Amino acid sequence: MRISKIKKEKTGLGMHLVMCGHYGNSFFFVQEEIREAHEEPTDPQAQQEIINSIEEVYFSNDSFDIVKYELERLPPVLSLQELEEYRDKLKQQQAAVSKKVADLILEKQPAYVEELERVTSLQSGLQLAAVICTNGRRHLNIAKEGFTQTSLGLLANQRKRQLLIGLLKSLRTIKTLQRTDVRLSEMLEEEDYPGAIQLCLECQKAASTFKHYSCISELNSKLQDTLEQIEEQLDVALSKICKNFDINHYTKVQQAYRLLGKTQTAMDQLHMHFTQAIHNTVFQVVLGYVELCAGNTDTKFQKLQYKDLCTHITSDSYIPCLADLCKALWEVMLSYYRTMQWHENHDQDEAAVVSSDGNNVIGTEESSFDRNYVKKKLEHGLSRIWQDVQLKVKTYLLGTDLSNFKYDDFIFVLDVISRLMQVGEEFCGSKSEVLQESIRKQSVNYFKTYHRTRLEELRMFLENETWELCPVKSSFSILQLHEFKFMEQSRSPSVSPSKQPASAVSATVTLFEQYCNGGNPFEIQADSKDDETEDVLASNGYESDEQEKSAYQEYDSDSDVPEELKRDYVDEQTGDAPIKSVSRDTLRSRKKSDYNLNKVNAPILTNTTLNVIRLVGKYMQMMNILKPIAFDVIHFMSQLFDYYLYAVYTFFGRNDMFESTGLGLSSSRLRTTLNRIQESLIDLEVSADPSGTLTAAEERKEKVPSPHLSHLVVLTSGNSLYGLAERVVATESLVFLAEQFEFLQPHLDAVMPAAKKPFLQQFYSQTVSTASELRKPVYWIVAAKAIDYEQMLLLMANVKWDVKEIMSQHNVYVDALLKEFEEFNRRLNDVSKRVRIPLPVSNILWEHCIRLANRTLVEGYANVKKCSNEGRALMQLDFQQFLMKLEKLTDIRPIPDKEFVETYIKAYYLTENDMECWIKEHREYSTKQLTNLVNICLGTYINKKARQKLLATIDDIDRPKR
C-alpha cells in the first residue's frame, strides 16, 4: 500500500480523502478499514510509536515496489516462525496507518464539503464571464467598422513622423562627420586600424552623399589626407611584426590593408621590413657588446660597417654575443614563421566561407589571386631571409680567430651553429652551405691548433709516464666518461647535442612548434657535466678489501689460491661461475698460465691511456656536431693512436740486435705501420734546417718529436724481469686502446664521407689491428734477458758427446736450464703481484723463452766437435728430460720449436743422399748449424768430394740470405 508521509504531511491525507470521495469503491474500502480500526481500540501513544517504527522508505514519494523490496530483504534461509512474526508486525503497522488515515479523513470532512461548495460557485461565475466576453467582442467589431476615417488620419500622422525621422538621421550624420577627426585619432591610438579605415571610407561615402550641404563641402579633401596618414602609421605597425609577432595586432593590420585594397603592397613592404629588421638586429646586438667591452661612450663604433664591427668583439664576449645574436635572429625567423601560419589559417577559413557562399564570383577570383600572390611571396621570402641570416652569422663567425679558444667554448660555438643550421633546415629546408663552409674553416683552423697542442701534451704525458697501473673498476666502460655521454643520449633536434636532457622532446616536434609560444632554443644552459660524477676508479686499484687482500697471496698452496681461480671458468663481466668442482691439475694449469691475482679482470690501462680516450671523446663530440670536418677529425684521432703505438714500440720494443734474429717477431704489417708513422708523424730532426723550403717547414709543423722514456722507468733490472710490469701495462693499455677504437668504428664509419671510407678501413686493418702484434717484440726482449742462454752454451761445450756407451743420466746443463725456468716462473709470480699478467702475455713470454732455449740447444749441438751415435742418443735423452720437466711448468701445447730441435738431432742419422735433400728443405737452420752436420755426422762416412758438394749446397742456400 502506497501512502504519503503521515508524520509530516497532513495535507496528503486530505487529498487521499478527496480521492476516496471520487472513487466510491475505494472510499468504502477506507470506511471498512476505519470501521475495523475503531473495533480495535488502542492507546494513541502506542499507535504513534507503531507509525514511527515504519521504515523511511515507505514514505518515499518516488515510485517504489514494496513487494520487491520485501522479497529482497528475505534472509537466505527462511524460517516460518520469523516470517509469521514479521507479517504480523507489518499488519500492525498497516492497521495503525489505516486508523490514522481514517481519523484524519473524519477530521477534514467538514472542510471538504465547504471546499466543494466553493468549486461549484466558481464554475457558475466562469460561465457568466464567458457570456460577458462574447458580448464585448461583438461590440468592438461594430466600433472598428464605424471608425474608418479616424484610421486614415492616424496613417497620415505616421507618414509625417517617418519624414521627420529621416531628417533627424541626416542631421545626426552631418554632426558625426564634423566630429570624425577626434574619433579617428582615438582609434589610431588604440591601434584599431581597420576601424579607422572603415570609418574614414564611410565618411567619404557619406560626404559624397550629402555634398549638397554646404557645411561639408571641404570634408572630402580632409578625409583623403587622413587616409594617407593612416597608411603611414599602418606601415610602422607592420614593421613591428618582424620582431615580436602578435596575432591580434597582425590581424588588425591585414584587415586594414584589405580594406584599402593593398594586400599585395603590404606583403612587399613586409619583406622589406624583415630584411631591415635582420640588419638592424645584428648590428645593435654586436654594437652593444663592442661598446660594453670598449668601456667608453665613444660613438665611433656606430659609424662602422657590420663586418668591421665584428672584428672588435673580444674573446670573452664572443660566446654571449653569439648566443644573443642567434636569439635575436630566432625571434625574427619565428615572427616570419608565425606570419606564414597566420596566412595559412586565414586562407583556410576564407576558402571555407567562399565554398559555402559562392555568389560573388568576381570578388572570389580577386581574393584567390591575392591569396596565391601572398603565398608565393611568403614561400620565396623564406630562402631570402635565411640567406640574410646566414650571411650575417658568417660575417660574425669569421670576424674572430677561434684557434685559441678553450675546447668547451669552441664546442659551445659549434653547438649554437649546429642548432642554427637545424633552424634553417626546419625554416626553409636549407642545408646552410654558407654556415657550413664558414664553420668548417674555423673548425679546421681551430682543430689543427688544438690537435697540435694535444699531441705535444701527449708527448709530455708519455715522457713522464711511469707506466703504473691506473686503478679502474672491472665494469669500466668508456661510455661512463663524460666525453662519451653524447653517445648514450637520444639525439633530439630541439636540444643542444652536448647538453641534452634525459627526457628529450620527440623528434617529430620542430623547434618552431616547440618554442612557438615562448622560450628560445639558444638560451645558454648550465653545463650538465657537474650534475653527474664519474665513478670509474676502483679503491686502491681493487674493488674491495677482500680483493686487495687476495692480490698479495702466494701460489704455494691451494689454500692460497683465490676461490675464483678454483672454478672451471670465470665470467669476466660478472665474475660468476658454475657450481662445479675443479681438479688440482686444472688449478695448477691456471696458476702457471694466467698470472691473474685480482678477483676481477679489470682493464689494464694508464693515466695516459685514459687521457687519450678522453681526447678521442672530445674529438668525436666535435665531429658529431660538425660532420663536414669528420675526415680531418678522424685523421687526427688516428694520429693519437699512431703516436701512442709508436711510443710503446720505441720505449719497450725497439732493439736492433733482437730484431735481426730473423725470427719474424715484427710482422711485415707492423713494420710497415711503424715506418709509415715515423715518416708521416715523427720529427726526427733536432733543429730546423735554415735552408729548408717553406713547404718542408710546414710539413715539420705537422710532426711531433719522438718521445723519450722517463728516467724513472728501469728496464735493466733482472729482479723486475727487466721492467716486465711496465711493459705489461704499456702493451696491454695499447691493446685496450685498440679495443676502444674497434668499439667506436661503427660510429666513425657512420659520419665518415663515403669518398674517405677507404682511409678509415685502412687505418683499422693496418694500424689498430696491429696493436696486439707489438707484444712479440716487447716481450722477446724480456725473454732474451730473463734466462742465461750463454751460460747454457758454456755448460754444453763442456759435455763429451763422443761417448762409447748409452747413458741413462742426462747432463747437468739440462738441470741448470730448468732451474733458470723455475726462477723465471717465480719472478713472473712476483711481478704478477704488482700487475695482472693476462693469459696471452704469459703465453707469449713462455713461448719466447722456450723458443730461445730450444734454439740455444740447437746452437749448442752445432758447436759439437766430436759426436758418436751414443752421443746423439744422449742429446735426445737430454732434450726429452728438458721437455718432460718443462711441461710441468707451463701448459703451453705444443712446445714451441720442439720439432726444430728434434729434427736437427735426427739429422745426425741421415745418409749422404738424404742429407742433401734435407739441407735443401730445412732452410730455417743457420749455415754454421748445417755445416756442423756435414762435418761431424757425415765426415767420418763420406769422402772429401762428397763433403765439398754438400758444403757447396749449403753455401748456395746461404747466398740469397746475404
Side-chain angles (χ1 to χ4, degrees):
M1 181 180 65
R2 184 72 171 178
I3 63 172
S4 298
K5 239 179 186 179
I6 296 175
K7 294 187 292 182
K8 298 179 182 179
E9 297 182 16
K10 294 181 180 179
T11 54
L13 296 173
M15 186 58 68
H16 185 73
L17 184 60
V18 173
M19 291 175 64
C20 291
H22 282 82
Y23 302 97
N25 292 333
S26 298
F27 182 74
F28 290 125
F29 174 74
V30 173
Q31 285 183 331
E32 181 66 18
E33 287 183 344
I34 294 171
R35 185 180 60 79
E36 291 177 0
H38 280 288
E39 287 177 359
E40 297 177 8
T42 57
D43 182 33
Q45 185 175 357
Q47 196 76 18
Q48 186 61 38
E49 287 178 356
I50 293 173
I51 293 174
N52 291 339
S53 67
I54 299 175
E55 294 181 19
E56 284 290 331
V57 71
Y58 284 95
F59 297 102
S60 173
N61 290 327
D62 301 326
S63 59
F64 177 65
D65 190 345
I66 298 172
V67 176
K68 181 179 178 182
Y69 173 76
E70 290 297 337
L71 288 176
E72 288 176 349
R73 289 188 56 193
L74 290 176
V77 180
L78 299 177
S79 171
L80 181 59
Q81 183 179 354
E82 290 177 358
L83 287 177
E84 286 178 349
E85 290 176 357
Y86 186 70
R87 183 195 62 184
D88 294 338
K89 179 183 176 183
L90 289 177
K91 280 186 175 185
Q92 288 177 2
Q93 290 176 348
Q94 183 182 14
V97 169
S98 299
K99 187 176 184 309
K100 186 71 174 177
V101 171
D103 292 340
L104 290 174
I105 289 174
L106 291 175
E107 181 183 344
K108 297 294 182 179
Q109 188 172 6
Y112 163 72
V113 174
E114 184 182 349
E115 187 69 24
L116 193 59
E117 289 176 355
R118 288 179 59 196
V119 170
T120 305
S121 174
L122 179 61
Q123 185 176 8
S124 301
L126 289 174
Q127 290 175 353
L128 179 60
V131 173
I132 294 172
C133 287
T134 302
N135 294 333
R137 287 178 178 176
R138 185 172 63 252
H139 291 134
L140 282 174
N141 286 334
I142 295 171
K144 183 179 179 182
E145 292 173 0
F147 285 89
T148 303
Q149 185 175 359
T150 304
S151 298
L152 291 175
L154 289 173
L155 289 174
N157 289 334
Q158 179 63 20
R159 181 172 176 273
K160 289 178 183 180
R161 183 175 178 274
Q162 291 295 334
L163 290 173
L164 290 173
I165 289 173
L167 178 61
L168 181 61
K169 185 177 180 181
S170 297
L171 292 173
R172 284 176 176 169
T173 302
I174 293 171
K175 182 180 179 182
T176 303
L177 290 175
Q178 296 295 331
R179 299 176 59 186
T180 300
D181 287 345
V182 178
R183 181 57 188 152
L184 282 175
S185 299
E186 292 175 356
M187 297 178 82
L188 290 176
E189 287 179 4
E190 298 169 359
E191 295 185 346
D192 185 9
Y193 304 108
I197 294 172
Q198 185 72 36
L199 178 60
C200 199
L201 293 176
E202 288 177 358
C203 286
Q204 282 184 327
K205 185 177 179 181
S208 62
T209 303
F210 299 105
K211 61 184 177 181
H212 50 282
Y213 294 106
S214 58
C215 59
I216 58 170
S217 57
E218 297 179 359
L219 192 60
N220 267 329
S221 59
K222 188 176 180 181
L223 288 173
Q224 186 61 37
D225 294 340
T226 304
L227 200 59
E228 292 175 0
Q229 182 185 353
I230 292 174
E231 283 190 42
E232 291 176 3
Q233 292 195 25
L234 198 58
D235 190 57
V236 175
L238 186 64
S239 66
K240 295 179 181 178
I241 296 298
C242 301
K243 289 188 178 180
N244 188 13
F245 182 88
D246 181 80
I247 188 169
N248 296 325
H249 182 75
Y250 189 68
T251 303
K252 291 178 181 179
V253 171
Q254 281 296 323
Q255 287 175 352
Y257 274 112
R258 185 178 291 274
L259 289 173
L260 291 174
K262 295 185 177 181
T263 304
Q264 297 182 17
T265 305
M267 198 48 56
D268 295 337
Q269 288 293 107
L270 183 64
H271 281 82
M272 183 189 72
H273 287 314
F274 267 106
T275 302
Q276 190 65 30
I278 291 173
H279 175 76
N280 293 341
T281 298
V282 296
F283 188 84
Q284 290 301 322
V285 170
V286 176
L287 177 64
Y289 276 92
V290 170
E291 289 182 341
L292 182 66
C293 296
N296 55 41
T297 57
D298 193 351
T299 58
K300 65 177 182 179
F301 296 116
Q302 297 179 0
K303 300 175 182 178
L304 293 177
Q305 294 290 327
Y306 173 71
K307 183 177 181 180
D308 299 327
L309 196 63
C310 289
T311 60
H312 288 80
I313 289 288
T314 63
S315 298
D316 294 337
S317 60
Y318 185 86
I319 288 179
C321 182
L322 175 64
D324 286 347
L325 196 67
C326 290
K327 281 194 280 188
L329 290 171
W330 162 262
E331 295 295 340
V332 175
M333 288 186 285
L334 180 61
S335 294
Y336 194 88
Y337 171 81
R338 296 186 66 185
T339 301
M340 289 191 68
Q341 261 193 335
W342 185 93
H343 280 281
E344 288 176 6
N345 297 334
H346 182 72
D347 289 348
Q348 291 174 1
D349 296 341
E350 201 171 69
V353 172
V354 170
S355 62
S356 62
D357 182 16
N359 296 331
N360 191 355
V361 178
I362 297 176
T364 302
E365 290 179 354
E366 184 179 352
S367 177
S368 177
F369 178 78
D370 284 346
R371 286 201 303 272
N372 290 333
Y373 177 85
V374 169
K375 184 178 179 181
K376 289 181 180 178
K377 191 76 176 177
L378 286 171
E379 289 175 351
H380 179 66
L382 283 171
S383 56
R384 282 185 54 195
I385 287 174
W386 177 242
Q387 190 67 13
D388 288 344
V389 170
Q390 281 194 93
L391 291 173
K392 296 299 182 186
V393 178
K394 173 191 175 184
T395 304
Y396 181 82
L397 279 175
L398 299 180
T400 303
D401 183 10
L402 306 182
S403 59
N404 295 318
F405 270 40
K406 293 180 181 177
Y407 174 81
D408 290 337
D409 291 341
F410 189 75
I411 283 292
F412 186 84
V413 173
L414 292 185
D415 218 355
V416 171
I417 299 303
S418 175
R419 272 180 284 178
L420 187 61
M421 287 192 287
Q422 183 188 339
V423 169
E425 176 125 10
E426 294 178 1
F427 188 66
C428 61
S430 170
K431 297 300 180 184
S432 308
E433 290 83 0
V434 174
L435 275 179
Q436 285 195 22
E437 179 59 26
S438 59
I439 198 63
R440 192 192 70 80
K441 286 181 181 178
Q442 285 283 33
S443 297
V444 171
N445 181 39
Y446 172 83
F447 204 66
K448 282 183 178 179
T449 306
Y450 180 79
H451 177 63
R452 174 69 191 179
T453 307
R454 299 291 81 75
L455 276 180
E456 289 291 346
E457 286 181 359
L458 179 57
R459 181 169 73 93
M460 181 187 70
F461 270 108
L462 289 168
E463 291 183 346
N464 289 279
E465 178 64 68
T466 56
W467 303 102
E468 294 291 336
L469 194 64
C470 178
V472 295
K473 293 189 175 183
S474 61
S475 59
F476 170 74
S477 166
I478 61 173
L479 296 179
Q480 297 167 355
L481 300 176
H482 288 309
E483 288 78 6
F484 291 90
K485 289 296 182 184
F486 72 96
M487 293 176 63
E488 291 184 326
Q489 294 166 350
S490 54
R491 288 297 305 276
S492 166
S494 59
V495 185
S496 157
S498 65
K499 305 175 182 63
Q500 288 187 350
S503 56
V505 182
S506 173
T508 57
V509 179
T510 66
L511 290 174
F512 288 97
E513 292 170 344
Q514 184 182 351
Y515 294 99
C516 187
N517 297 321
N520 196 302
F522 296 98
E523 289 288 345
I524 298 179
Q525 301 173 357
D527 198 342
S528 60
K529 273 187 181 181
D530 297 333
D531 298 339
E532 299 176 9
T533 57
E534 292 178 344
D535 186 20
V536 297
L537 296 181
S539 174
N540 298 325
Y542 301 91
E543 294 187 39
S544 71
D545 294 338
E546 183 183 355
Q547 289 173 350
E548 186 173 355
K549 180 180 177 182
S550 70
Y552 293 97
Q553 290 175 336
E554 298 291 338
Y555 280 103
D556 295 339
S557 66
D558 289 352
S559 61
D560 292 331
V561 179
E563 285 299 323
E564 218 164 288
L565 294 181
K566 296 180 182 179
R567 304 176 186 175
D568 270 2
Y569 71 88
V570 178
D571 188 335
E572 292 190 3
Q573 299 299 321
T574 63
D576 294 334
I579 302 174
K580 185 177 178 182
S581 61
V582 60
S583 65
R584 288 180 176 270
D585 292 339
T586 305
L587 179 59
R588 291 194 190 98
S589 173
R590 292 297 166 91
K591 287 162 57 179
K592 288 176 287 192
S593 60
D594 190 357
Y595 296 85
N596 173 21
L597 292 177
N598 294 7
K599 283 202 168 185
V600 182
N601 292 339
I604 297 177
L605 68 157
T606 67
N607 288 325
T608 304
T609 319
L610 211 55
N611 181 59
V612 173
I613 292 172
R614 289 184 187 277
L615 276 180
V616 169
K618 290 182 176 181
Y619 283 25
M620 289 187 67
Q621 281 183 27
M622 187 177 296
M623 177 178 60
N624 202 42
I625 296 172
L626 198 67
K627 293 181 176 57
I629 66 165
F631 170 70
D632 301 276
V633 176
I634 293 176
H635 175 64
F636 291 144
M637 282 173 57
S638 71
Q639 287 187 348
L640 294 176
F641 186 83
D642 287 348
Y643 197 68
Y644 195 93
L645 172 69
Y646 187 81
V648 173
Y649 169 74
T650 305
F651 294 166
F652 303 104
R654 174 179 284 172
N655 192 308
D656 296 333
M657 181 180 71
F658 296 119
E659 286 179 356
S660 61
T661 56
L663 296 173
L665 298 176
S666 301
S667 65
S668 59
R669 184 174 62 165
L670 179 59
R671 287 195 299 272
T672 303
T673 297
L674 291 169
N675 290 334
R676 175 189 61 77
I677 295 172
Q678 183 168 296
E679 291 174 4
S680 63
L681 189 61
I682 306 302
D683 184 7
L684 299 176
E685 300 180 29
V686 177
S687 60
D689 185 4
S691 61
T693 62
L694 181 63
T695 307
E698 287 295 322
E699 287 180 357
R700 289 193 68 241
K701 277 183 66 176
E702 303 295 326
K703 295 184 177 182
V704 189
S706 179
H708 302 289
L709 183 63
S710 170
H711 67 279
L712 298 176
V713 180
V714 180
L715 302 179
T716 56
S717 172
N719 293 330
S720 64
L721 270 181
Y722 306 95
L724 177 61
E726 289 80 3
R727 294 175 189 273
V728 169
V729 172
T731 52
E732 298 314 301
S733 67
L734 175 65
V735 172
F736 177 78
L737 186 61
E739 290 171 354
Q740 307 318 305
F741 268 82
E742 293 284 358
F743 169 72
L744 296 172
Q745 184 177 7
H747 301 278
L748 301 180
D749 192 67
V751 295
M752 181 67 110
K756 301 292 185 179
K757 284 186 186 294
F759 166 81
L760 187 63
Q761 294 168 356
Q762 185 177 13
F763 168 65
Y764 272 93
S765 62
Q766 295 186 6
T767 305
V768 177
S769 61
T770 60
S772 59
E773 296 179 12
L774 205 60
R775 286 168 171 161
K776 281 192 174 183
V778 170
Y779 298 129
W780 176 266
I781 297 174
V782 175
K785 295 180 178 181
I787 293 176
D788 192 351
Y789 304 102
E790 294 296 329
Q791 178 66 24
M792 190 174 67
L793 283 176
L794 293 175
L795 292 174
M796 292 180 72
N798 296 327
V799 177
K800 285 189 174 185
W801 300 104
D802 55 347
V803 293
K804 299 301 182 181
E805 57 183 22
I806 300 295
M807 305 295 292
S808 60
Q809 181 64 32
H810 60 274
N811 285 300
V812 177
Y813 74 87
V814 175
D815 294 328
L817 181 59
L818 288 170
K819 188 175 181 181
E820 289 279 334
F821 273 101
E822 289 173 356
E823 178 63 18
F824 171 71
N825 189 35
R826 184 191 65 77
R827 285 189 287 175
L828 265 184
N829 287 333
D830 292 340
V831 172
S832 67
K833 294 173 184 177
R834 288 180 54 199
V835 177
R836 175 175 64 87
I837 300 180
L839 182 59
V841 175
S842 63
N843 285 346
I844 287 177
L845 282 167
W846 278 100
E847 180 185 342
H848 282 340
C849 289
I850 295 170
R851 195 180 297 276
L852 282 169
N854 284 336
R855 289 179 178 271
T856 304
L857 286 174
V858 172
E859 186 67 21
Y861 296 149
N863 291 333
V864 175
K865 302 299 181 182
K866 294 180 181 180
C867 183
S868 62
N869 289 334
E870 290 79 7
R872 296 179 196 114
L874 182 58
M875 290 180 186
Q876 287 183 323
L877 174 65
D878 290 346
F879 186 61
Q880 292 302 321
Q881 178 69 18
F882 171 66
L883 290 179
M884 182 179 66
K885 296 289 186 180
L886 183 64
E887 286 177 350
K888 295 180 180 180
L889 290 174
T890 178
D891 59 349
I892 295 181
R893 303 290 185 275
I895 297 296
D897 279 353
K898 175 183 175 183
E899 293 80 5
F900 183 78
V901 181
E902 291 177 339
T903 304
Y904 189 80
I905 295 174
K906 291 176 182 177
Y908 279 88
Y909 300 100
L910 296 175
T911 61
E912 176 188 346
N913 293 332
D914 293 336
M915 179 63 77
E916 185 176 357
C917 296
W918 187 91
I919 290 172
K920 291 179 180 179
E921 291 174 358
H922 293 81
R923 300 189 177 191
E924 66 269 23
Y925 298 101
S926 67
T927 304
K928 174 190 171 185
Q929 293 165 352
L930 295 174
T931 303
N932 179 270
L933 281 176
V934 173
N935 290 331
I936 302 302
C937 299
L938 301 179
T940 56
Y941 302 110
I942 60 175
N943 55 34
K944 185 176 181 181
K945 183 178 180 181
R947 185 168 58 184
Q948 291 296 332
K949 181 182 176 183
L950 290 174
L951 293 175
T953 302
I954 295 172
D955 190 57
D956 292 339
I957 293 173
D958 184 54
R959 191 175 291 118
K961 297 180 182 179
R962 292 177 290 182

